[in-house]
Amino acid sequence: MNGFHRDGGCTRGGLLEPGLAGAGVNFSVLPMLLILSAEAQDLVLKGRQMFLDGSVYYESVYLFNGATIHVQGSGGGPASLEIDAESIWIDATSAITADGEDSTSCTTESGCLENSQAGSILLRAADMLVEGTISANGGTHHPGSEAWRAAAPGGSITLEADILLCPGSLSARGGDVVSTNGVQATLPHQSSLPGGDGGVIVQAWDSMGLPCQADVSMGKGSNSSAGPQPGWSTSMETDWDGDGYTFSQGDCAPRNPAVNPGAGETWYDGVDQNCDARSDLDADMDGFDDARHGGDDCDDADPAVNPSAAETWYDGKDQNCDTWNDYDADGDGRSAALSGGDDCDDHDPGVFPAATEIWYDGKDQNCDGLDDMDADMDGWRSSAHGGKDCDDHDPLIHPEAPETWYDGIDQDCDGWSDYDADRDGFTSLESGGDDCNDHDPLVHPGARETWYDGIDQDCDGWSDFDADADGYDRGRSGRPWTDESQADCDDTRFAVHPFAEEKWYDGIDQDCDDWSDYDADGDGYNSVDFGGDDCNDADSAINPGARELWYDNVDQDCDGAHDFDADGDGFFSAKYGGMDCLDSNPAVFPGALDPPYDGLDQDCAGDDDFDADKDGYRGSAWWGNDCDDRDSSTHPGAPDIPGDDIDQDCDGADGTRNL
């Protein structure tokens, strides 16, 4: 290769980068560069200008980021470049150039190149994309003697491809004539030499073509005039294989004479013999290759069976070739229940026996037949979805569940506070509320209190036996008091209790001593002022049952009798200024009948009770000497009237003593 070797700067598929052998080197240049080597590799130039020589066949040629291939004529011959590859791509920043050799400026013919030369470029590829520029130009002519010929014509460019896309540009311009300073002045004829003719550009393709813009203009003469003849450019289709068909006539393989629209199709050999553009592996022409030949058509003899066919479920045929069970329409791996399987909804891939149940969406994802609105499967639908289960994640919670009070859970879903077991609207005292008995709906704050039944209905904490809230329970109420003296005798009055101050004579027993409110002195007798008979209710020693202490001017027994008339005979004692000589005997008083001989002075006359006739002499029967104590004229010393048969002087004889 004269310095550019396969292992010296370009490996298969590699980049020719700085630092590698051959990069940026101006090799010895041959007039002709043929790239015809049988060993294929890629030529990839990135931003580098290469002067190529030798013969190498490249499978793919890529020029990008300002890369150039430049062929320069030398040794008096033309500059030619031929590249035959599978794929050629020249990006918009890159270029291929073939420039003919310039003529030399000589005044003698010895050692001079009389005329300049043109360049030529031939590119062949199955796929060719030219976004940059390709130019093959005539060399510049420097005239010497008048006999030297004109400048070289433009070069030639030939592009051959099955698919040619060329948004770039091609240029095959004739060479220019340039006068050399100092020579033109001595050679007047040089000032009128014309430029070279335009070049030739041929673009040929079979399958598809978008030709490049072509420039085949003439070169400029020494007087700046154009050359005599422009070049020419053509775009054409070609029957490369001579089978009688071009691309426009439907030849899909322009280099294979066995392939054309009139050929018979041989299936599964990889060749589209009849150029119908259908896959050779698709015998039933349904658009899908046979699965036996790397395709995905499971039955290439039936055009109704292919991957895009609509599946007809449950007929035993795999129309869409997905190899899926024909009795599993939703593709969830379970056969439909109607076909003997267990998928309860074979039109929904999210529904099958092993699926995760999504509750409350109206679907039975796991095909268990249970109500989708009953997540805890307790037989009750969720209250959030039209049911009555207030917690559908706990099977122990539903309207018929037994309530466990005070655990913070509404097991029976009645909506009632879990801390109000008796449902009276008040929270249990033990749960931070104020219901002192949460098992009795009649017991709660605000309830009507029923006194003396042993129940604190209104939960005020007060004794149920103390209705007047004076701190003392009612006596004889049934409560086991050990000291009845502490009992409240009137539990309707706050001011009435055992330690209250008694207010006498108001009919109320304030201190509950069970004593008459009309017996202030506590002697057992009501005051005479309030229907009683205690004449002095301020002194317990004075009452009808008291012992009378006579003569102290106090009526202790309240009998109303005078305290100085102890015997109650209406006469005051003679000892205290009265006339009753014996105030201990009601039969003894002045004016009383005074029976004689009883030892009492009943009439308090002060006479001898044994002197009945009051003659000053006791009767002889009572230790006296009055012989007749019934007659005050008879007594010792009385004048005795003789003859009257009366012994007036009690001498034992009638009138004898006075004789």
Side-chain angles (χ1 to χ4, degrees), residues 103-109 112-115 141-149 177-180 183-184 186-190 193:
S103 66
T104 56
S105 178
C106 304
T107 57
T108 65
E109 294 185 10
C112 293
L113 178 61
E114 297 181 2
N115 293 329
H141 179 46
H142 299 272
S145 68
E146 182 176 0
W148 292 343
R149 292 180 292 274
V177 176
V178 177
S179 298
T180 304
V183 176
Q184 187 173 2
T186 61
L187 300 173
H189 67 278
Q190 296 178 351
L193 292 176

Side-chain angles (χ1 to χ4, degrees), residues 350-625:
V351 177
F352 57 90
T356 300
E357 186 64 38
I358 300 174
W359 297 101
Y360 317 120
D361 63 354
K363 292 183 181 180
D364 182 17
Q365 278 88 356
N366 61 7
C367 294
D368 59 3
L370 297 178
D371 190 340
D372 193 57
M373 306 299 169
D374 180 16
D376 56 11
M377 296 180 284
D378 58 7
W380 294 85
R381 286 189 162 199
S382 167
S383 57
H385 298 277
K388 297 180 179 180
D389 192 336
C390 54
D391 185 349
D392 202 38
H393 301 288
D394 190 336
L396 299 179
I397 298 176
H398 55 75
E400 291 184 353
E403 184 65 39
T404 301
W405 296 102
Y406 317 117
D407 62 355
I409 301 173
D410 182 16
Q411 281 89 355
D412 61 4
C413 294
D414 60 0
W416 205 264
S417 168
D418 194 58
Y419 304 99
D420 181 15
D422 55 12
R423 295 180 171 86
D424 57 9
F426 294 86
T427 299
S428 163
L429 190 67
E430 295 78 6
S431 301
D434 48 11
D435 190 339
C436 56
N437 185 352
D438 202 38
H439 301 287
D440 189 339
L442 299 178
V443 177
H444 57 77
R448 182 178 178 180
E449 186 66 42
T450 301
W451 297 102
Y452 320 119
D453 61 356
I455 300 173
D456 182 14
Q457 279 90 355
D458 62 2
C459 293
D460 60 1
W462 204 260
S463 170
D464 192 58
F465 301 93
D466 183 13
D468 58 10
D470 58 7
Y472 296 88
D473 288 353
R474 186 181 74 171
R476 295 177 293 279
S477 61
R479 184 159 179 165
W481 278 97
T482 57
D483 186 359
E484 188 67 26
S485 66
Q486 299 295 311
D488 192 335
C489 55
D490 185 353
D491 206 35
T492 63
R493 300 174 188 268
F494 177 80
V496 177
H497 55 77
F499 291 94
E501 181 180 356
E502 186 66 41
K503 296 179 181 180
W504 298 102
Y505 316 119
D506 59 0
I508 301 172
D509 183 14
Q510 278 90 352
D511 61 2
C512 294
D513 57 3
D514 206 23
W515 203 260
S516 170
D517 194 56
Y518 303 101
D519 181 14
D521 56 9
D523 55 9
Y525 296 88
N526 290 341
S527 168
V528 68
D529 296 330
F530 295 94
D533 50 8
D534 190 338
C535 57
N536 185 350
D537 204 37
D539 191 339
S540 61
I542 300 175
N543 56 68
R547 179 183 179 186
E548 184 66 41
L549 299 177
W550 298 100
Y551 318 119
D552 59 358
N553 203 29
V554 178
D555 184 11
Q556 277 88 355
D557 60 2
C558 293
D559 58 1
H562 201 286
D563 195 56
F564 296 98
D565 181 11
D567 53 11
D569 56 8
F571 292 89
F572 296 167
S573 171
K575 294 179 182 179
Y576 295 97
M579 295 184 295
D580 192 339
C581 57
L582 182 56
D583 202 36
S584 59
N585 190 339
V588 178
F589 53 84
L593 178 63
D594 190 5
Y597 316 123
D598 58 3
L600 296 177
D601 181 14
Q602 277 91 343
D603 60 3
C604 291
D607 51 6
D608 192 345
D609 191 58
F610 296 98
D611 180 13
D613 54 8
K614 309 300 180 187
D615 57 5
Y617 294 91
R618 290 185 171 191
S620 57
W622 301 94
W623 309 286
N625 51 11

